[in-house]
Amino acid sequence: MSASAELRIRTATPADDDALSLIDRLTWSPLHAVMPKPEPPYAPCFDERHPPEGFLVAELDGRLVGYIRLAHPTPLACNAHVRQIQGLAVADEARGRGVGRALVRAAVEEARRSDARRITLRVLAHNAPARALYESEGFVVEGILPEEFLLDGAYVDDVFMGRPV
């Protein structure tokens, strides 16, 4: 992609499912994934709990290169003021170009537009690049579940982060 590629963030549409599913498969890594590596037959990206309108997608020169999924953390009315980032992926060829940062900022703005008061996320403790990005965008560690996951033979902490919107 050219250095002058135009970045656009928009809400996903049903037509984006295959491209987002492919990004998920190509970016899978034990650095951030707690689910096993996807194998055929591949599940769709969108489902009843995660419809297209819960995803913001990044396009560079009209090509999908990433997404962020924003959802309610629970179905409880008493928790409706909170949004949670439940997935962020950027294609390898678009990394280092501000795509992840633009998606995080767009998610915060979307949470603000929907009258949320807070935005939260969970990130694996060993995922230093993601934690640095979130911290640089105002997220702070609000809790840690020590050794919550066993990944590739090592115990990994689950880190809860959040910020006001």
Side-chain angles (χ1 to χ4, degrees):
M1 291 185 194
S2 69
S4 63
E6 182 181 335
L7 178 62
R8 177 176 173 242
I9 307 293
R10 63 170 175 80
T11 302
T13 68
D16 296 325
D17 192 272
D18 288 343
L20 296 181
S21 182
L22 180 60
I23 288 171
D24 261 349
R25 292 192 305 272
L26 295 175
T27 60
W28 184 93
S29 164
L31 183 64
H32 60 78
V34 295
M35 299 297 289
K37 186 172 184 166
E39 298 291 337
Y42 299 116
C45 192
F46 305 134
D47 58 31
E48 190 174 292
R49 285 187 48 229
H50 305 105
E53 55 270 15
F55 290 72
L56 296 172
V57 298
E59 292 179 332
L60 274 175
D61 289 340
R63 183 167 174 255
L64 279 180
V65 295
Y67 75 84
I68 194 164
R69 186 171 65 205
L70 193 61
H72 291 276
T74 73
L76 302 171
C78 61
N79 188 230
H81 63 285
V82 180
R83 296 298 177 279
Q84 187 172 62
I85 293 172
Q86 295 183 345
L88 171 63
V90 176
D92 286 345
E93 70 269 14
R95 291 206 177 144
R97 306 206 33 199
V99 174
R101 183 172 308 281
L103 285 165
V104 170
R105 288 179 178 174
V108 170
E109 285 306 312
E110 180 63 26
R112 185 175 289 122
R113 275 193 298 281
S114 68
D115 293 325
R117 294 177 49 90
R118 290 179 31 78
I119 187 168
T120 63
L121 60 89
R122 296 169 68 171
V123 61
L124 296 174
H126 66 197
N127 191 346
R131 290 182 65 183
L133 169 62
Y134 297 135
E135 288 171 3
S136 74
E137 290 299 320
F139 287 83
V140 297
V141 173
E142 296 181 338
I144 298 174
L145 293 175
E147 299 183 353
E148 185 70 3
F149 299 104
L150 178 61
L151 303 172
D152 274 352
Y155 290 100
V156 180
D157 297 349
D158 190 12
V159 179
F160 287 83
M161 299 181 82
R163 63 162 280 182
V165 297

